[in-house]
Amino acid sequence: QSEQFFLIAGPCAVESERMCQEIAGHVKQITTTLGINYVFKASFRKANRSRLDSFTGIGDRRAIKIIEGIRDQFDLPVTTDVHSVADVELVAPIADIIQIPAFLCRQTELIVAAAKTGKIVNIKKGQFMSAAAMRFAVQKAVDSGNDQVILTERGNSFGYTDLVVDFKGMQEMQGFGVPVVLDCTHSLQRPNQPQGVTGGAPEYIETLSRAAISMGIDGLFLETHPNPAVAKSDGANMLKMSELGLLLERLVALRSLIKSFSSQSPK
């Protein structure tokens, strides 16, 4: 078990440079104080939307330039997601971690292209995938010459409009010898809503996070925004930025408590 968990966090999508700067600066200040390694996350484009009129981005090159600016201005590693081999070529020069979306975790060509960049590859487990099956996604990257792989749990489909997190599965994936992350915001999505906009249950973010820290998760992934109600993407399951500090303080304290118990010798 690691001394401390790491955090991948940021807005769902790049909405503006100013918003990304506000989030990155706020989260970096908190994580630096708490001793948490922080990776800034933002999607440069949202390719998977429920409706044609949903927000998809401000323009690829403009958004990528903003993410690069966050990396340079705040001295932070950054990550964004890709949906095609062409996307990999676009983001590889600026991304420290390339994220494979959950719906694309079986796309061999995409994983191979990401792996061949030499960057860390974060593969999000599909809502339709078992933990055991993700071993083969990892192997695709390894066989392509890259063993720098992260697996991210983001819930499994439970009926048509809900997700459930299997903590046994996260422990099983840790057995593959790679870091495992819990996406504690997307795991609380409520997909396939009648209005064509994904819902969510952010009131359970702390519950899932505490459970993950208790079982020894390597990292947490969450999306945060100054005002989730007006976020252009996935606002229904985001954490309000003002609530992040207290949540992380509690999680760090919990991690320390768990660590102290595990280090005690049996009487």
Side-chain angles (χ1 to χ4, degrees):
Q1 184 175 341
S2 301
E3 188 68 27
Q4 192 55 268
F5 60 91
F6 62 89
L7 177 69
I8 302 173
C12 180
V14 174
E15 297 178 14
S16 70
E17 182 177 36
R18 183 175 180 179
M19 184 205 69
C20 288
Q21 290 171 334
E22 180 182 359
I23 294 172
H26 183 79
V27 181
K28 181 175 181 179
Q29 183 177 31
I30 295 168
T31 53
T32 298
T33 300
L34 295 174
I36 299 170
N37 288 328
Y38 169 44
V39 179
F40 175 82
K41 177 269 167 188
S43 296
F44 76 93
R45 184 196 331 120
K46 300 304 296 182
N48 173 32
R49 301 287 84 192
S50 297
R51 298 182 348 193
L52 186 60
D53 60 354
S54 297
F55 173 79
T56 58
I58 61 173
D60 292 357
R61 295 193 182 277
R62 181 181 169 199
I64 290 169
K65 190 69 176 175
I66 288 171
I67 296 170
E68 182 181 22
I70 294 296
R71 184 190 66 182
D72 296 341
Q73 179 181 350
F74 295 96
D75 191 25
L76 287 171
V78 298
T79 185
T80 193
D81 42 337
V82 293
H83 296 82
S84 68
V85 172
D87 285 354
V88 174
E89 295 169 356
L90 273 179
V91 308
I94 66 99
D96 299 280
I97 301 174
I98 297 175
Q99 179 179 298
I100 307 297
F103 281 126
L104 298 176
C105 69
R106 285 176 56 95
Q107 294 298 105
T108 301
E109 182 182 52
L110 188 59
I111 293 175
V112 169
K116 286 185 175 180
T117 66
K119 301 297 182 74
I120 299 169
V121 181
N122 179 19
I123 308 173
K124 301 191 81 173
K125 183 172 75 62
Q127 300 91 319
F128 47 87
M129 295 284 286
S130 69
M134 292 304 294
R135 180 188 300 273
F136 304 110
V138 172
Q139 199 61 47
K140 288 176 184 178
V142 172
D143 289 347
S144 301
N146 190 342
D147 62 359
Q148 299 182 97
V149 182
I150 296 170
L151 289 178
T152 295
E153 166 66 42
R154 51 97 74 234
N156 276 74
S157 295
F158 187 71
Y160 290 116
T161 59
D162 206 356
L163 299 169
V164 65
V165 175
D166 178 7
F167 285 88
K168 301 191 307 296
M170 286 190 284
Q171 183 174 329
E172 182 175 6
M173 289 192 295
Q174 284 182 317
F176 303 161
V178 300
V180 175
V181 171
L182 173 64
D183 180 342
C184 50
T185 49
H186 287 103
S187 292
L188 294 168
Q189 283 184 331
R190 288 176 172 161
N192 299 315
Q193 297 300 309
Q195 68 271 29
V197 177
T198 298
E203 63 270 24
Y204 299 115
I205 290 173
E206 182 162 350
T207 300
L208 284 188
S209 302
R210 286 187 178 194
I213 294 301
S214 297
M215 62 82 65
I217 202 73
D218 299 287
L220 293 176
F221 177 114
L222 62 84
E223 290 182 343
T224 187
H225 194 281
N227 185 2
V230 301
K232 296 182 182 296
S233 178
D234 283 359
N237 54 263
M238 279 187 184
L239 179 70
K240 192 172 182 179
M241 196 171 72
S242 61
E243 298 175 3
L244 179 64
L246 181 58
L247 171 64
L248 291 178
E249 286 176 14
R250 289 171 172 166
L251 296 178
V252 166
L254 178 60
R255 180 62 156 235
S256 297
L257 182 63
I258 298 296
K259 182 79 175 173
S260 69
F261 282 140
S262 62
S263 64
Q264 292 176 3
S265 299
K267 293 182 179 179

